[in-house]
Amino acid sequence: MAIQESAATRFWESYHGPNLGYIQEMYDRYVRDPQSVDSSFREMFERWGPPPEETRSAESISTAPMRVSAAAPDPRFLKKLVDAGKLALNIRLYGHLAVEIDPLGLRDKPDTSLLEPETFGLAQDDLTAIPASLIWEHAPDNVKDGWHAIQKLKEIYTDCIAFEFGHVHEEDERIWLNRQAESGIARKPLEVKERIALLQRLIEVEQFESFLQRNFVGQKRFSIEGIDMLVPVMDEIVREMAHHGAKEILMGMAHRGRLNVLAHVLGKPFGKIFSEFAHSPNKDLIPSEGSIGINYGWTGDVKYHLGAHRSIKAGETVETRITLANNPSHLEFVNPVVEGFTRAAQDDRSQPGYPKQDFGIAGTVLVHGDAAFAGEGIVAETLNFNSLPGFQNGGTIHIIANNRIGFTTDIKDSRSTYYASDLAKGFEIPIVHVSADDPESCIAAVRLACEYRNRFRKDFVIDLVGYRRYGHNETDDPETTQPAMYQKLREHPMVSDLYADKLKKKGLTNDEQIAQIRSEVRSKLQVALDEVKGNEDKGGGRRSEQVSLRKMADVRTAVPLEQLRAINAELLKWPQDFTVYPKLERILQRRADALEPGGKVDWGHAETLAFAAILADGKPIRLTGQDSERATFAHRNLVLHDPHSGRTFCPLHRIPQSKAAFAIYNSPLSEASVLGFEYGYNVFSPQTLVIWEAQYGDFANAAQVIIDQFLAAGRVKWSQRSSLVLLLPHGYEGQGPEHSSARLERFLQLAAEDNFTIANLTSSAQYFHLLRRQAAFTESDEARPLVIMAPKSLIRNPRVASSPEAFGEGSFMPVVEQHGLGGQVDAVQRLILCSGKVGIDLETAIDESDRDRSWLHVARVEQLYPFPKGEIERVIGRFPNLKEIVWVQEEPQNMGPWNYIEPRIKARASEGAAVRFIGLPKRSSPASGFQEIHNYEQQRILSVALSRSTLDVNK
């Protein structure tokens, strides 16, 4: 009997923990009804008898107090320990849900049961029995057991700052972030002088807004009230970045609070701001957010779009420059522009190779709207720059100025996420949420963000949750759409009052001192306004600058052939231990003799020679695009890949002639953000030739806001110069409506006030000279964006390749006449004008036919804007017997250059000469998706253009 009992004991010892509890439950059911359990259990209980009597059920294990034994671990203790660990993890992950960050208390209370011990069946006695170090490895010395550890963690993670770090997958970063939170950073008290300075700043912010409200009734200012702490937050960021050595702090933000930031963070004089209000146009006559703004005439911009610069002394020898970028009403589109500013400030372009980047020398601050952060796709595109080699800038501090409403739209209608900041989680960016009514917690959040950026060189998001005291603008009545919110707001005190009361309770200030601060601030504002009023009779607002058409400088773009040959030889050298992909090596070696007599230089070769010659002049270059290292059509291959080692090598980094950096990067699959980034880079670094290449020219329409608001209008709105080059592959080769047209017509429609150079080229030498000319114009008054309708099939067309002499001599020609035509000037009756690829198609068709062409002449307009009127007039004037001037294009009639070019040709047509169009009819889609239809249409265009029988049609 004893032997049998011993065997049963050994048998039941193999079951423990939850498994043993389950066995006990099955035995209880077996006793009541043997048929209620599986036959295997019946056999087990019949053979081995009941489980040990002291065994408890699973339920009792999870609820009974524990005893810690020095012997083998108690399974119940292990389960409680695991559950306590889960509870601590949940507090770190989800504690933010319990933080009260909404000043108005409008947010629905979330379910926070995951933060409670009861959810895990844990009682106080259970947690008291666990040493604190088993739950919280770095618990403070005064936290001795698990119960106090859990209470302390709850206090940290559910108190005043809502920390969201669980989505950060880099373990060292996440551990550091949690340790910072658990060190008590949120409740680290400010010094007395810091508290008084913070109160004074809040009063200055509040008084500025109320002063504008009283003195400029009904004028829009997009008040900061409700997120007043934005100004002290930005002040603190400036101090922290300057303290860590930043010489440039680049900022971008939309309308909300912008005037207050300009006044207090950027130091824009009050008088200048007041004068802009005083000279604003009648609000009843000007559309909301109209572009006339504060100026006379149709240039300039409204006051709440304008940027500013300020230099501050961080020490006796260190100066920090703050820049707030100009921004259109397209809210978040300034983000990539500012990111480009910062990267340009960080790059040292003075030496060959890739620029040397110093993350610490410049920092970025972006202020977002809560609705826009979630709703505008450009935000996600810009966040994606965070870790990309060609675009990262060592971390951006993002502030969401969260007033919980977008124009008149409630949260439930504007986003699908719980927080406005949730988009940032996908990029593993740490996030803190903080109430704008809790000033000291806001400052703590800033210090954490700046320390994280300095340590890890990555982005950080501060969700500053407040409200909007007035409507979208001060002429709007918000109570029609948010009546409940604004009923609460009537009773809600300003943050300056809340903070003043807090400091008074601590005995740090009193009513008399606060009144004195308010009086001094109002007095200063009044003095500035009185001065503006006194100057009103001396001339009103500033007038818009007249934009004069450029006078093209005589720039030498040719390069002596001997110099080009020396460069060419160096371009074909690579390190001895580097293997070039064999097929590509054969292609590159064909360039060895291209500059010798009888040689030809194709498009890709001409581009490389242009880059090398520009670098030899000491001019840095930056080139980006989705496939720019090799180019979409594989014609560039400036970054070579070793098929054995995977190493890369760029010949332009090693040529001895280079005197400046050459940066070339493949970009993310984005147009708007990348083009905005390159525009910002170029504006900040005007000495750099910056080039953006679209994968296909059609895709540039995804960057239309950047093109419209920045490239086309930046000069006249903001006096902001750019020499950015856009390479937009364009041409009709039967590749369908999405791979044919770069929408040339849109750029020509935007062209005015000498704001662009727009070209459609037909030879590699023309491309070489135009790039060289653009590089020469950087940093000068001649600087303008250059838009090139880049070739596709023409890249390898032998008719586009140029002789060596074309590079060693000459310059860019706005109009190119076809060789071999027009010799008999009296016989010419039809003059064909065209641009781009169709000109090569016409040349090919003419050369393949032996018909008499004495009646015909062809000229290619290589530069469409500014229109080369002098050259066109000289061409037309040579032919006294013209019957018609024909514009030939491959694009539909409502697209391409025709609508732009027609009035300009008619204004210069000789008497009696008709002006006609030959091309595709008007269409809603730019090109056919069927190759056979494309071929038929192209052949028809050429046949009509080159047929003498059509000469009198529609004359």
Side-chain angles (χ1 to χ4, degrees), residues 338-372:
V338 178
E339 300 280 351
F341 283 177
T342 307
R343 181 60 181 258
Q346 293 172 346
D347 279 353
D348 178 358
R349 296 166 288 274
S350 61
Q351 300 298 319
Y354 281 106
K356 304 298 187 295
Q357 189 176 8
D358 181 351
F359 286 140
I361 205 169
T364 317
V365 183
L366 293 177
V367 182
H368 310 269
D370 53 309

mmCIF file of all heavy atoms in Angstrom, residues 338-372:
data_model
loop_
_atom_site.group_PDB
_atom_site.id
_atom_site.type_symbol
_atom_site.label_atom_id
_atom_site.label_comp_id
_atom_site.label_asym_id
_atom_site.label_seq_id
_atom_site.Cartn_x
_atom_site.Cartn_y
_atom_site.Cartn_z
ATOM 1 N N VAL A 338 11.489 73.298 -44.810
ATOM 2 C CA VAL A 338 12.310 73.583 -43.635
ATOM 3 C C VAL A 338 13.319 72.458 -43.397
ATOM 4 O O VAL A 338 14.466 72.700 -43.011
ATOM 5 C CB VAL A 338 11.419 73.801 -42.394
ATOM 6 C CG1 VAL A 338 12.260 74.043 -41.155
ATOM 7 C CG2 VAL A 338 10.483 74.980 -42.625
ATOM 8 N N GLU A 339 12.903 71.216 -43.642
ATOM 9 C CA GLU A 339 13.853 70.105 -43.522
ATOM 10 C C GLU A 339 15.023 70.307 -44.480
ATOM 11 O O GLU A 339 16.181 70.017 -44.153
ATOM 12 C CB GLU A 339 13.152 68.776 -43.820
ATOM 13 C CG GLU A 339 12.000 68.437 -42.899
ATOM 14 C CD GLU A 339 12.431 67.856 -41.566
ATOM 15 O OE1 GLU A 339 13.627 67.559 -41.406
ATOM 16 O OE2 GLU A 339 11.571 67.702 -40.681
ATOM 17 N N GLY A 340 14.722 70.808 -45.689
ATOM 18 C CA GLY A 340 15.789 71.099 -46.646
ATOM 19 C C GLY A 340 16.689 72.223 -46.177
ATOM 20 O O GLY A 340 17.916 72.180 -46.371
ATOM 21 N N PHE A 341 16.096 73.256 -45.566
ATOM 22 C CA PHE A 341 16.902 74.329 -44.963
ATOM 23 C C PHE A 341 17.962 73.731 -44.033
ATOM 24 O O PHE A 341 19.149 74.068 -44.088
ATOM 25 C CB PHE A 341 16.023 75.260 -44.120
ATOM 26 C CG PHE A 341 15.178 76.244 -44.871
ATOM 27 C CD1 PHE A 341 14.316 77.080 -44.176
ATOM 28 C CD2 PHE A 341 15.222 76.348 -46.246
ATOM 29 C CE1 PHE A 341 13.521 78.005 -44.839
ATOM 30 C CE2 PHE A 341 14.429 77.264 -46.918
ATOM 31 C CZ PHE A 341 13.579 78.092 -46.215
ATOM 32 N N THR A 342 17.480 72.860 -43.146
ATOM 33 C CA THR A 342 18.360 72.340 -42.097
ATOM 34 C C THR A 342 19.471 71.482 -42.675
ATOM 35 O O THR A 342 20.637 71.603 -42.279
ATOM 36 C CB THR A 342 17.541 71.534 -41.076
ATOM 37 O OG1 THR A 342 16.459 72.333 -40.611
ATOM 38 C CG2 THR A 342 18.395 71.111 -39.899
ATOM 39 N N ARG A 343 19.121 70.612 -43.618
ATOM 40 C CA ARG A 343 20.171 69.770 -44.209
ATOM 41 C C ARG A 343 21.217 70.641 -44.913
ATOM 42 O O ARG A 343 22.423 70.372 -44.828
ATOM 43 C CB ARG A 343 19.550 68.775 -45.190
ATOM 44 C CG ARG A 343 20.547 67.833 -45.856
ATOM 45 C CD ARG A 343 21.296 66.976 -44.852
ATOM 46 N NE ARG A 343 22.257 66.107 -45.521
ATOM 47 C CZ ARG A 343 22.067 64.810 -45.750
ATOM 48 N NH1 ARG A 343 20.955 64.213 -45.325
ATOM 49 N NH2 ARG A 343 22.984 64.089 -46.364
ATOM 50 N N ALA A 344 20.771 71.690 -45.585
ATOM 51 C CA ALA A 344 21.717 72.590 -46.248
ATOM 52 C C ALA A 344 22.621 73.280 -45.229
ATOM 53 O O ALA A 344 23.815 73.484 -45.482
ATOM 54 C CB ALA A 344 20.957 73.631 -47.077
ATOM 55 N N ALA A 345 22.060 73.638 -44.064
ATOM 56 C CA ALA A 345 22.860 74.289 -43.025
ATOM 57 C C ALA A 345 23.880 73.328 -42.425
ATOM 58 O O ALA A 345 24.950 73.751 -41.967
ATOM 59 C CB ALA A 345 21.943 74.826 -41.933
ATOM 60 N N GLN A 346 23.570 72.033 -42.422
ATOM 61 C CA GLN A 346 24.447 71.043 -41.806
ATOM 62 C C GLN A 346 25.546 70.544 -42.738
ATOM 63 O O GLN A 346 26.556 70.022 -42.273
ATOM 64 C CB GLN A 346 23.614 69.841 -41.333
ATOM 65 C CG GLN A 346 22.662 70.159 -40.200
ATOM 66 C CD GLN A 346 21.721 69.000 -39.895
ATOM 67 O OE1 GLN A 346 21.598 68.058 -40.675
ATOM 68 N NE2 GLN A 346 21.031 69.076 -38.763
ATOM 69 N N ASP A 347 25.347 70.668 -44.043
ATOM 70 C CA ASP A 347 26.288 70.111 -45.015
ATOM 71 C C ASP A 347 27.461 71.046 -45.273
ATOM 72 O O ASP A 347 27.270 72.234 -45.570
ATOM 73 C CB ASP A 347 25.576 69.833 -46.348
ATOM 74 C CG ASP A 347 24.801 68.535 -46.335
ATOM 75 O OD1 ASP A 347 24.909 67.784 -45.347
ATOM 76 O OD2 ASP A 347 24.082 68.266 -47.325
ATOM 77 N N ASP A 348 28.655 70.495 -45.202
ATOM 78 C CA ASP A 348 29.866 71.200 -45.641
ATOM 79 C C ASP A 348 30.156 70.736 -47.060
ATOM 80 O O ASP A 348 30.555 69.595 -47.290
ATOM 81 C CB ASP A 348 31.030 70.872 -44.703
ATOM 82 C CG ASP A 348 32.334 71.537 -45.134
ATOM 83 O OD1 ASP A 348 32.347 72.230 -46.179
ATOM 84 O OD2 ASP A 348 33.350 71.343 -44.445
ATOM 85 N N ARG A 349 29.964 71.614 -48.029
ATOM 86 C CA ARG A 349 30.086 71.269 -49.443
ATOM 87 C C ARG A 349 31.420 71.720 -50.051
ATOM 88 O O ARG A 349 31.570 71.739 -51.268
ATOM 89 C CB ARG A 349 28.930 71.922 -50.214
ATOM 90 C CG ARG A 349 27.561 71.412 -49.812
ATOM 91 C CD ARG A 349 26.435 72.286 -50.337
ATOM 92 N NE ARG A 349 26.393 73.552 -49.618
ATOM 93 C CZ ARG A 349 25.750 73.755 -48.480
ATOM 94 N NH1 ARG A 349 25.070 72.775 -47.943
ATOM 95 N NH2 ARG A 349 25.784 74.912 -47.873
ATOM 96 N N SER A 350 32.368 72.076 -49.222
ATOM 97 C CA SER A 350 33.580 72.713 -49.717
ATOM 98 C C SER A 350 34.606 71.734 -50.271
ATOM 99 O O SER A 350 35.537 72.150 -50.958
ATOM 100 C CB SER A 350 34.221 73.542 -48.600
ATOM 101 O OG SER A 350 34.581 72.696 -47.505
ATOM 102 N N GLN A 351 34.453 70.442 -49.981
ATOM 103 C CA GLN A 351 35.430 69.463 -50.423
ATOM 104 C C GLN A 351 34.784 68.441 -51.350
ATOM 105 O O GLN A 351 33.591 68.173 -51.257
ATOM 106 C CB GLN A 351 36.035 68.744 -49.206
ATOM 107 C CG GLN A 351 36.753 69.658 -48.229
ATOM 108 C CD GLN A 351 37.944 70.348 -48.865
ATOM 109 O OE1 GLN A 351 38.702 69.751 -49.631
ATOM 110 N NE2 GLN A 351 38.115 71.640 -48.560
ATOM 111 N N PRO A 352 35.579 67.827 -52.258
ATOM 112 C CA PRO A 352 35.026 66.793 -53.142
ATOM 113 C C PRO A 352 34.461 65.621 -52.356
ATOM 114 O O PRO A 352 34.803 65.398 -51.193
ATOM 115 C CB PRO A 352 36.244 66.373 -53.979
ATOM 116 C CG PRO A 352 37.182 67.526 -53.925
ATOM 117 C CD PRO A 352 36.989 68.140 -52.559
ATOM 118 N N GLY A 353 33.618 64.852 -53.020
ATOM 119 C CA GLY A 353 32.946 63.731 -52.367
ATOM 120 C C GLY A 353 31.576 64.141 -51.883
ATOM 121 O O GLY A 353 31.050 65.206 -52.243
ATOM 122 N N TYR A 354 30.959 63.293 -51.081
ATOM 123 C CA TYR A 354 29.689 63.668 -50.468
ATOM 124 C C TYR A 354 29.933 64.782 -49.447
ATOM 125 O O TYR A 354 30.992 64.832 -48.819
ATOM 126 C CB TYR A 354 29.058 62.470 -49.766
ATOM 127 C CG TYR A 354 28.352 61.514 -50.693
ATOM 128 C CD1 TYR A 354 28.915 60.278 -51.013
ATOM 129 C CD2 TYR A 354 27.131 61.843 -51.275
ATOM 130 C CE1 TYR A 354 28.271 59.393 -51.866
ATOM 131 C CE2 TYR A 354 26.478 60.976 -52.136
ATOM 132 C CZ TYR A 354 27.055 59.748 -52.431
ATOM 133 O OH TYR A 354 26.414 58.887 -53.280
ATOM 134 N N PRO A 355 28.972 65.684 -49.258
ATOM 135 C CA PRO A 355 29.137 66.717 -48.231
ATOM 136 C C PRO A 355 29.335 66.090 -46.857
ATOM 137 O O PRO A 355 28.798 65.025 -46.559
ATOM 138 C CB PRO A 355 27.818 67.501 -48.296
ATOM 139 C CG PRO A 355 27.272 67.227 -49.653
ATOM 140 C CD PRO A 355 27.697 65.837 -49.998
ATOM 141 N N LYS A 356 30.100 66.746 -46.019
ATOM 142 C CA LYS A 356 30.302 66.292 -44.642
ATOM 143 C C LYS A 356 29.221 66.927 -43.778
ATOM 144 O O LYS A 356 29.112 68.147 -43.701
ATOM 145 C CB LYS A 356 31.696 66.702 -44.142
ATOM 146 C CG LYS A 356 32.840 66.209 -45.022
ATOM 147 C CD LYS A 356 32.907 64.701 -45.078
ATOM 148 C CE LYS A 356 34.156 64.224 -45.819
ATOM 149 N NZ LYS A 356 34.172 64.597 -47.248
ATOM 150 N N GLN A 357 28.437 66.087 -43.114
ATOM 151 C CA GLN A 357 27.270 66.574 -42.374
ATOM 152 C C GLN A 357 27.560 66.664 -40.887
ATOM 153 O O GLN A 357 28.132 65.754 -40.290
ATOM 154 C CB GLN A 357 26.072 65.649 -42.604
ATOM 155 C CG GLN A 357 24.757 66.182 -42.048
ATOM 156 C CD GLN A 357 23.584 65.282 -42.388
ATOM 157 O OE1 GLN A 357 23.761 64.188 -42.914
ATOM 158 N NE2 GLN A 357 22.383 65.740 -42.097
ATOM 159 N N ASP A 358 27.151 67.772 -40.281
ATOM 160 C CA ASP A 358 27.268 67.991 -38.833
ATOM 161 C C ASP A 358 25.861 68.209 -38.286
ATOM 162 O O ASP A 358 25.272 69.277 -38.433
ATOM 163 C CB ASP A 358 28.152 69.207 -38.557
ATOM 164 C CG ASP A 358 28.344 69.475 -37.070
ATOM 165 O OD1 ASP A 358 27.661 68.831 -36.250
ATOM 166 O OD2 ASP A 358 29.169 70.347 -36.736
ATOM 167 N N PHE A 359 25.295 67.161 -37.659
ATOM 168 C CA PHE A 359 23.929 67.233 -37.153
ATOM 169 C C PHE A 359 23.751 68.338 -36.121
ATOM 170 O O PHE A 359 22.689 68.940 -36.020
ATOM 171 C CB PHE A 359 23.529 65.900 -36.521
ATOM 172 C CG PHE A 359 23.264 64.798 -37.504
ATOM 173 C CD1 PHE A 359 23.693 63.506 -37.241
ATOM 174 C CD2 PHE A 359 22.592 65.033 -38.680
ATOM 175 C CE1 PHE A 359 23.446 62.474 -38.127
ATOM 176 C CE2 PHE A 359 22.342 64.003 -39.585
ATOM 177 C CZ PHE A 359 22.776 62.726 -39.305
ATOM 178 N N GLY A 360 24.774 68.590 -35.324
ATOM 179 C CA GLY A 360 24.622 69.506 -34.204
ATOM 180 C C GLY A 360 24.600 70.962 -34.583
ATOM 181 O O GLY A 360 24.177 71.807 -33.787
ATOM 182 N N ILE A 361 25.006 71.284 -35.795
ATOM 183 C CA ILE A 361 25.168 72.693 -36.159
ATOM 184 C C ILE A 361 23.841 73.372 -36.481
ATOM 185 O O ILE A 361 23.748 74.606 -36.490
ATOM 186 C CB ILE A 361 26.149 72.820 -37.347
ATOM 187 C CG1 ILE A 361 26.814 74.194 -37.350
ATOM 188 C CG2 ILE A 361 25.464 72.543 -38.669
ATOM 189 C CD1 ILE A 361 27.973 74.295 -38.306
ATOM 190 N N ALA A 362 22.808 72.586 -36.733
ATOM 191 C CA ALA A 362 21.496 73.163 -37.066
ATOM 192 C C ALA A 362 20.403 72.218 -36.605
ATOM 193 O O ALA A 362 20.582 70.996 -36.589
ATOM 194 C CB ALA A 362 21.370 73.418 -38.567
ATOM 195 N N GLY A 363 19.261 72.778 -36.215
ATOM 196 C CA GLY A 363 18.130 71.982 -35.758
ATOM 197 C C GLY A 363 16.826 72.466 -36.355
ATOM 198 O O GLY A 363 16.707 73.624 -36.768
ATOM 199 N N THR A 364 15.842 71.568 -36.395
ATOM 200 C CA THR A 364 14.555 71.860 -37.019
ATOM 201 C C THR A 364 13.428 71.809 -35.994
ATOM 202 O O THR A 364 13.385 70.911 -35.157
ATOM 203 C CB THR A 364 14.234 70.824 -38.115
ATOM 204 O OG1 THR A 364 15.400 70.581 -38.883
ATOM 205 C CG2 THR A 364 13.113 71.303 -39.011
ATOM 206 N N VAL A 365 12.511 72.766 -36.096
ATOM 207 C CA VAL A 365 11.294 72.773 -35.281
ATOM 208 C C VAL A 365 10.107 72.959 -36.229
ATOM 209 O O VAL A 365 10.066 73.927 -36.987
ATOM 210 C CB VAL A 365 11.300 73.915 -34.246
ATOM 211 C CG1 VAL A 365 10.053 73.832 -33.365
ATOM 212 C CG2 VAL A 365 12.558 73.885 -33.398
ATOM 213 N N LEU A 366 9.175 72.032 -36.189
ATOM 214 C CA LEU A 366 7.976 72.137 -37.019
ATOM 215 C C LEU A 366 6.740 72.157 -36.122
ATOM 216 O O LEU A 366 6.591 71.290 -35.247
ATOM 217 C CB LEU A 366 7.881 70.960 -38.005
ATOM 218 C CG LEU A 366 8.950 70.901 -39.092
ATOM 219 C CD1 LEU A 366 8.766 69.645 -39.947
ATOM 220 C CD2 LEU A 366 8.910 72.150 -39.977
ATOM 221 N N VAL A 367 5.884 73.144 -36.332
ATOM 222 C CA VAL A 367 4.641 73.261 -35.577
ATOM 223 C C VAL A 367 3.495 72.857 -36.501
ATOM 224 O O VAL A 367 3.329 73.440 -37.582
ATOM 225 C CB VAL A 367 4.432 74.694 -35.055
ATOM 226 C CG1 VAL A 367 3.146 74.770 -34.233
ATOM 227 C CG2 VAL A 367 5.630 75.136 -34.220
ATOM 228 N N HIS A 368 2.742 71.866 -36.088
ATOM 229 C CA HIS A 368 1.666 71.310 -36.912
ATOM 230 C C HIS A 368 0.306 71.616 -36.298
ATOM 231 O O HIS A 368 0.179 71.731 -35.075
ATOM 232 C CB HIS A 368 1.797 69.788 -37.012
ATOM 233 C CG HIS A 368 3.154 69.291 -37.397
ATOM 234 N ND1 HIS A 368 3.529 69.076 -38.700
ATOM 235 C CD2 HIS A 368 4.232 68.955 -36.646
ATOM 236 C CE1 HIS A 368 4.774 68.622 -38.737
ATOM 237 N NE2 HIS A 368 5.220 68.542 -37.499
ATOM 238 N N GLY A 369 -0.699 71.662 -37.137
ATOM 239 C CA GLY A 369 -2.065 71.649 -36.640
ATOM 240 C C GLY A 369 -2.485 70.219 -36.380
ATOM 241 O O GLY A 369 -2.010 69.291 -37.031
ATOM 242 N N ASP A 370 -3.381 70.010 -35.410
ATOM 243 C CA ASP A 370 -3.779 68.638 -35.089
ATOM 244 C C ASP A 370 -4.544 67.988 -36.227
ATOM 245 O O ASP A 370 -4.305 66.822 -36.575
ATOM 246 C CB ASP A 370 -4.582 68.594 -33.789
ATOM 247 C CG ASP A 370 -5.773 69.540 -33.784
ATOM 248 O OD1 ASP A 370 -5.589 70.741 -34.093
ATOM 249 O OD2 ASP A 370 -6.888 69.106 -33.456
ATOM 250 N N ALA A 371 -5.470 68.718 -36.864
ATOM 251 C CA ALA A 371 -6.214 68.141 -37.980
ATOM 252 C C ALA A 371 -5.303 67.915 -39.176
ATOM 253 O O ALA A 371 -5.419 66.917 -39.890
ATOM 254 C CB ALA A 371 -7.375 69.057 -38.359
ATOM 255 N N ALA A 372 -4.370 68.832 -39.394
ATOM 256 C CA ALA A 372 -3.477 68.722 -40.545
ATOM 257 C C ALA A 372 -2.460 67.611 -40.361
ATOM 258 O O ALA A 372 -2.095 66.937 -41.327
ATOM 259 C CB ALA A 372 -2.765 70.053 -40.780
#
